[in-house]
Every structure is written in structure tokens, then in C-alpha cells.
Amino acid sequence: MNKKLLLRLGALFIFVLLISATVIYFTFDIRTLDYLTMFEPKCIFLALGCLAVGLLFDGLRLITLADITDERLTLRQIINVVLSNYFLALVTPGASGGAIAQVMFMRKAGVPVAKSTVVILVRTIMSIIFLILLVPLVLHWDKDIVEWMPASILTVVSVVFVSLPIIAIYLMRTRYPEKIIFLVTRKLSYTTRRNCYIWYQQFKKAVIVMGKHPLMVLRAFIESGLSLLFIYATVPAYMTGLNIDFDLAQVMGRMVLINLVLYFSPTPGGSGIAEAGFVMLFANILPGGLEGILAVLWRFTAEYLPFMLGAVVTIRAFGSDVLNMASVKGKSKVVPQKNKVEIK
């Protein structure tokens, strides 16, 4: 196997192992053993079932978005695209690896890079918008999180979060975003400024595509939300196996907050930040010593298991040199031509 890939996988394994061990060590309590003795193994199948349904809706969302661009993908191609996202998102720095992997598999399936880029971008945008729209509901449901926040401020925050997607779509009709990008990046390197402009053009194209197919976009948006919620449901599934009394709305709400933050995490797959955020948000609603165990169970089920499946399909499809291929794809999928940016 490629030496670079082996080193990256080894480093990731050690990193994840250290994070998991650290989380469990600093949260472990003598009462943890009592709850573990009551653990019902059948909840593992419930958690895996939730994950499977979540991935199913993720695949359905991809099919719907591909239909919008007049492209067709087979079941095997859909599985490859969905799982590859988990693999490269964890073994590449930053948050771009998963998107590159999806574009690579869609290109392999015969979908032009321009279309696949738009599909993947819309897919990500939908997930973020869905979580943003849920934030006001979470803040109103979970009084423990906002007990220090006056009602007036809570109302303002809620209005802002609901308005963000609407404002973003409205701004796409103006030249203001380009002016803002120019002002913010004018002192940065040419490559950085070009990449920011390219990203904005792709984002704008994605918004235009969504606007032309409102019903299909609504369907994809619902599928996106169901996918996320079922994947987050792995946590309450494990909580039932530990015989913990919990408020389902509260638990799912806090999962929404954690995962919204993870979309902007600088670490591969949000590793470290996810576990720390989970412990922080769930410490006051879980029995002492269980937040670390549940954090590790959640990450293994919802992130590392799909990662391993994604590693199998990605390496089988592209070989052990997949990291170098992803690096080349990430640099060459967009190029400047005659003072404008085109997507190849």
C-alpha cells in the first residue's frame, strides 16, 4: 500500500485512539461501571439501524439532486459517493477532502465536474441550512442552555438564524458579495483571492440551480434533514441501552448544535472538537461518568464506522494512491481563463 496513505491512516488511528482514551479517562466515574453492567447489547443494533436509515436518506438526497442536473447514478455509485465522503474527510486536512472524494466518484460515474461540484455544494448547503433553521427551536426547547439569556435576546437570535438563508439568497442577486470578497481578500495572495472567488461562483451557481427546481429541492431538503436526524439518533439509541431517562427533543437539539459547529471545524472530521463539545453539552443531562463513553460510542458509530466502509470502497476504486489523486483533483478542478473563472 502507498506509504503516504499508510502513514496518514496510522496517524489518524493514534489520534482517534488518544482522543477517545483521554475523553473516557477524564470523565470516568465509579458509577460508570454500574451503568455499563446494565448495558443492553440490542441497542447496538438500534444504533446501527438509525445509522443505516440516515445513510439511506443521504443517498436518496443525492439521487434527487442528481436528477435536478439531469444525471443518473446507480445504487453502487450512490453508495460509493456517500461513503467516500467519510473517508477522505478524515484523512485529509481541513473540510474539503470529503467533497473532493464525492466529485471524484461522480466523475468516475460519468457526471461532469461542473455538475458534480454543484450537486455536492448544494448537498452541503442543505445540511447547514437545515441545522441553522433548527437552532431557534433548540434554543426555545432547551431552557438549560439559554437560562442566562433574556427573552428579547433569544427572540433576536432566533430571527437572525431564520433570516440567514433568506438574506444569503437575496444577496446572490446583487454584486455586494463580490465587493465584500474583494475588500476582505485584497491583501491576500492571488491564489487565495482566486479560490475565494471560485468558491463564491460555485455557491452562486448552486443557489441558481436550487431556484429553478423548487419542488425537487424541497424534497432533497426533507431527505437531508431526515438523514441528519437519523444519524444523530444513534445517541438516544445508546442511551436507551444504558437505561437512562432522557428528553428526546433535548438530546437531539444538543446534537444539532454540536454538528452545526463541526461543519466549520478545522480538524479532520471534527475529531477532538466533537468529543469535547459532546462532553460539555451533555455533562449536565447525563449521569456522571457516561458522557465520555457515549461520546466515543457516537463517534465510532456515526463517523468511524462509515469511514472504514468508505476506505474500502475508495481504495478499491482508486487504489492506494488516492491521496495524491485527491490532491491533484482539488487543485485542478477549477482554472482561470481570460479574466474569468470556469469550472471544467
Side-chain angles (χ1 to χ4, degrees), residues 99-168:
I100 293 172
Q102 295 172 79
V103 171
M104 288 170 62
F105 266 109
M106 293 187 73
R107 183 69 186 90
K108 187 179 178 70
V111 181
V113 172
K115 287 186 177 181
S116 59
T117 301
V118 169
V119 168
I120 300 308
L121 187 57
V122 170
R123 186 171 174 265
T124 304
I125 292 171
M126 282 186 170
S127 296
I128 295 175
I129 290 178
F130 179 79
L131 296 179
I132 287 177
L133 292 178
L134 283 183
V135 168
L137 296 178
V138 173
L139 296 180
H140 282 280
W141 279 335
D142 200 335
K143 302 303 181 182
D144 291 341
I145 291 181
V146 294
E147 59 183 6
W148 49 271
M149 187 182 295
S152 57
I153 296 179
L154 179 59
T155 301
V156 171
V157 171
S158 300
V159 171
V160 168
F161 271 94
V162 172
S163 302
L164 282 176
I166 301 173
I167 293 173

Side-chain angles (χ1 to χ4, degrees), residues 10 25 66 72 243 304 340:
Y25 176 78
R72 300 293 182 270
N243 295 305
Y304 303 134
K340 66 178 182 178

Side-chain angles (χ1 to χ4, degrees), residues 191-260:
T191 300
T192 301
R193 286 185 285 118
R194 187 193 67 172
N195 288 339
C196 289
Y197 182 75
I198 289 170
W199 185 92
Y200 166 70
Q201 289 298 324
Q202 292 175 343
F203 178 79
K204 187 174 182 178
K205 180 175 286 189
V207 172
I208 293 172
V209 169
M210 289 192 292
K212 291 180 178 179
H213 304 84
L215 292 180
M216 294 188 71
V217 167
L218 176 60
R219 173 182 167 182
F221 184 75
I222 294 172
E223 291 167 345
S224 179
L226 290 173
S227 172
L228 294 175
L229 293 177
F230 270 102
I231 292 175
Y232 301 164
T234 54
V235 172
Y238 281 122
M239 293 173 73
T240 59
L242 290 167
N243 295 305
I244 301 173
D245 293 327
F246 62 91
D247 182 337
L248 181 60
Q250 184 182 49
V251 171
M252 295 297 287
R254 297 197 180 193
M255 292 301 297
V256 165
L257 296 179
I258 293 173
N259 283 275
L260 179 58

